[in-house]
Amino acid sequence: MSTGVSTSTDKIIVDRSRSHRNKAVSKAVRATRERLQSSTKGNQVFDRDMLGMHVTSVLQGASVVPLFVVLVTAVGLYLDSDPQFLAWALLMLSVHALNVFVSRRANRKEISATEVQVWRRRLMAAQLLVGVGWAAFALQSCDGCSGDTYYFYKGAVLLLAVSITAMSSFMLRLGMLIGFLPTVATLVGIAVFSRSALDIGMAAMCAVAVVFFHYIGDRLYRSNLTLMSYQSEKDDLIAELEVAKSMSDEARRRAEEANLAKSRFLASMSHELRTPLNAILGFSEVMSSEVLGPLNNPTYKEYSGDIHRSGQHLLNLINEILDLSRIEAGRYDLAEEALSLLEIAEDCIGMVQLRARGKSITIRQQFEPELPLVWADEKSMRQVLLNLLSNAVKFTPQGGEVTVKVGWTAGGGQYVAIKDNGPGIPEEEIPVVLSAFGQGSIAIKSAEQGTGLGLPIVQAILAKHDGQFILRSKLREGTEAIAILPATRVLQSVPAVADAPAVERRRKSFA
């Protein structure tokens, strides 16, 4: 398994407990969607909005019906000068004015949820009165008209009336169908009594037109209902997102305050801890070395050695915590210079060589020759390699082997890989060991337990260098840690002067 270092200095560990944090938001969103997906419940929720849209449509088209009535009356008087057309026009304008009056009152009043059905019945009654006016037009006849002219005139007027009513009242469900029932009933009655083919055709045409426009209006009503449902869902989701964002901002503010408090605590406690530790380390070393004279009881000498080792362990822990805190706070400055990874690797191997020989561990080197220098912080890179080598030696069993490789990466950068044949790390524990104070099950059982800060510091330092840290491990097969510096950190070599003698790379040897 390969795990790359994050560009952030935070711990790269998978937090599987985060799924429960937004349960309230998810529950609310799910409830909203279930509420909106039910058509019956959706009708009840948006009835008031639909009534409002119907009222707006009636008021906006209030001048269309009077103009249409005036035009129909003018054509009727042209065909026949019978004053019945004027009486019908007065009736039609009156019922239309009543319809507009009811709509205007509904528009001015804030309709509550309990009053929706009351106002819906009022608007339906006004629509029915308009239908009665068109039924009165259907009852009219033209004695002075010749041929089929009047039938064509009446059919055209009724079709236009049906279409105008359907477009203005489709937000009032069943409004157009109920409004033109009197007209259809009147035409059917005329056709039954007259038994004329023209009257039967007129009634059938009007009935078909009413059914067709009712179907179209119902589809438009459902489409608007769906759009309003989506709009409501979007508004609910936006509200939930705003709540979640405010909660996130509050959590971030508290985290920043806690981080600031932690930094202040570490800054104030570093001096308070190091001062007594220096005294403990110094006096315990003097006592264990018997500088001022021999100790009468050998147990005291053993105790002083334990005190010194414990103090040294505590000092190392404090230094690592402070290093990690500085990196997280962005106060870890790099003193970059040209350096050789080969020389640093050799120095670090020499530092852990004595400890490796104590466990009969063989450290093998596989270095690519003549690697160019890299631009990096020497102290930080030494800390990286020492941490990785110390871990390899710590977890490699007696008589084991550690391999250190330094070479080129495929992208033109340089890498240092440290591989051991120790017990390895289970794949599911790799995110744990890469977190601060995280230790695997094997490290916990080991007698040489560490602080759990080595690998987080390594990956944070490499991130500061724009590099990458990869940890590969398999249980009972060993672990390989790879520190990579990018190609931008590799310095280009300048061609050597012909007369200058070649300078061999300095090699070190350790006892």
Side-chain angles (χ1 to χ4, degrees):
M1 178 176 178
S2 175
T3 304
V5 65
S6 171
T7 56
S8 168
T9 55
D10 200 0
K11 330 301 178 288
I12 50 173
I13 178 173
V14 180
D15 186 2
R16 297 175 182 173
S17 65
R18 295 180 60 183
S19 59
H20 72 278
R21 296 183 181 177
N22 292 327
K23 279 188 176 179
V25 176
S26 301
K27 184 177 180 181
V29 172
R30 187 164 52 250
T32 302
R33 288 176 177 171
E34 291 175 356
R35 172 174 63 84
L36 296 176
Q37 285 173 354
S38 174
S39 60
T40 304
K41 190 178 294 185
N43 292 342
Q44 296 175 0
V45 170
F46 298 113
D47 266 351
R48 184 167 55 179
D49 297 329
M50 287 297 191
L51 283 181
M53 295 176 68
H54 169 73
V55 167
T56 303
S57 176
V58 170
L59 294 179
Q60 288 179 350
S63 59
V64 175
V65 174
L67 292 176
F68 182 61
V69 170
V70 170
L71 179 62
V72 170
T73 304
V75 175
L77 291 176
Y78 174 78
L79 295 176
D80 187 5
S81 59
D82 193 337
Q84 63 178 348
F85 288 103
L86 294 176
W88 170 81
L90 181 61
L91 173 65
M92 194 65 197
L93 292 176
S94 300
V95 295
H96 175 68
L98 180 61
N99 186 24
V100 173
F101 174 74
V102 174
S103 300
R104 192 178 299 276
R105 283 197 60 187
N107 186 45
R108 291 177 179 177
K109 182 177 177 57
E110 186 68 26
I111 302 176
S112 63
T114 57
E115 297 175 337
V116 170
Q117 294 302 324
V118 175
W119 280 101
R120 189 174 186 276
R121 285 193 292 268
R122 292 176 181 175
L123 292 171
M124 196 73 74
Q127 199 72 22
L128 183 62
L129 289 178
V130 174
V132 170
W134 289 113
F137 174 79
L139 285 173
Q140 295 181 17
S141 60
C142 181
D143 298 331
C145 298
S146 60
D148 301 333
T149 305
Y150 186 71
Y151 282 99
F152 176 77
Y153 161 72
K154 182 189 289 188
V157 169
L158 290 177
L159 286 179
L160 288 174
V162 170
S163 62
I164 292 174
T165 306
M167 295 306 297
S168 63
S169 63
F170 71 90
M171 291 295 182
L172 185 66
R173 199 171 191 184
L174 302 179
M176 196 277 296
L177 184 63
I178 293 177
F180 268 87
L181 278 180
T183 306
V184 174
T186 302
L187 291 175
V188 171
I190 294 174
V192 169
F193 284 108
S194 66
R195 298 183 181 274
S196 170
L198 291 175
D199 291 331
I200 294 174
M202 179 75 67
M205 181 188 66
C206 187
V208 171
V210 169
V211 172
F212 174 74
F213 280 104
H214 168 69
Y215 172 76
I216 297 297
D218 187 68
R219 293 294 299 270
L220 291 174
Y221 177 85
R222 292 180 181 275
S223 299
N224 278 273
L225 184 64
T226 303
L227 291 176
M228 294 181 69
S229 300
Y230 290 155
Q231 180 68 31
S232 177
E233 182 179 5
K234 184 190 74 172
D235 294 341
D236 290 341
L237 290 175
I238 290 175
E240 296 297 340
L241 288 176
E242 290 177 351
V243 172
K245 182 179 180 299
S246 63
M247 295 172 62
S248 175
D249 293 341
E250 178 65 19
R252 183 184 63 182
R253 184 187 63 80
R254 293 181 180 179
E256 289 175 351
E257 290 179 354
N259 187 51
L260 181 60
K262 181 197 71 173
S263 301
R264 290 175 178 173
F265 169 78
L266 292 175
S268 61
M269 291 302 293
S270 61
H271 175 72
E272 299 297 332
L273 292 174
R274 283 174 173 173
T275 300
L277 274 178
N278 289 331
I280 293 172
L281 290 173
F283 292 148
S284 60
E285 186 175 5
V286 168
M287 294 171 65
S288 62
S289 302
E290 299 179 339
V291 175
L292 301 180
L295 297 175
N296 296 328
N297 193 332
T299 306
Y300 289 163
K301 183 177 181 179
E302 183 182 352
Y303 287 169
S304 61
D306 292 340
I307 293 172
H308 187 272
R309 286 190 296 272
S310 300
Q312 191 66 46
H313 176 76
L314 183 57
L315 182 60
N316 292 335
L317 175 61
I318 293 172
N319 290 334
E320 288 181 347
I321 291 176
L322 292 177
D323 286 342
L324 190 60
S325 299
R326 284 200 302 270
I327 293 173
E328 290 180 347
R331 298 177 182 176
Y332 191 89
D333 298 326
L334 300 177
E336 297 170 310
E337 57 180 327
L339 53 91
S340 172
L341 284 182
L342 296 174
E343 294 182 0
I344 293 179
E346 287 181 350
D347 292 346
C348 294
I349 291 173
M351 293 180 185
V352 300
Q353 191 71 259
L354 185 61
R355 186 178 177 187
R357 288 178 180 176
K359 296 178 65 175
S360 301
I361 296 174
T362 303
I363 300 180
R364 299 188 181 277
Q365 302 179 12
Q366 296 182 10
F367 294 170
E368 292 190 15
E370 305 302 329
L371 285 176
L373 302 180
V374 294
W375 190 254
D377 184 356
E378 182 175 359
K379 175 179 174 294
S380 300
M381 294 309 299
R382 287 183 184 272
Q383 186 175 4
V384 167
L385 297 185
L386 280 176
N387 282 342
L388 298 180
L389 281 170
S390 299
N391 284 342
V393 173
K394 181 192 300 182
F395 295 107
T396 301
Q398 291 281 344
E401 181 178 288
V402 175
T403 303
V404 181
K405 298 179 182 179
V406 182
W408 291 100
T409 64
Q414 295 185 17
Y415 75 93
V416 178
I418 300 172
K419 185 177 181 180
D420 62 65
N421 58 355
I425 306 172
E427 292 187 0
E428 64 273 9
E429 292 184 2
I430 288 183
V432 177
V433 301
L434 290 174
S435 64
F437 300 101
Q439 294 182 342
S441 57
I442 297 176
I444 294 175
K445 297 175 183 177
S446 174
E448 299 183 61
Q449 294 187 21
T451 60
L453 293 175
L455 294 183
I457 291 177
V458 166
Q459 59 182 352
I461 290 176
L462 290 174
K464 293 286 289 185
H465 285 84
D466 303 320
Q468 187 180 9
F469 176 64
I470 300 175
L471 185 64
R472 297 170 180 166
S473 183
K474 289 186 178 180
L475 198 61
R476 292 182 293 276
E477 293 186 13
T479 303
E480 183 178 17
I482 306 174
I484 301 175
L485 290 179
T488 54
R489 291 275 174 179
V490 179
L491 301 178
Q492 297 294 330
S493 301
V494 180
V497 181
D499 297 336
V503 179
E504 296 183 358
R505 185 173 60 84
R506 175 175 60 90
R507 300 187 63 86
K508 295 183 180 181
S509 60
F510 295 88

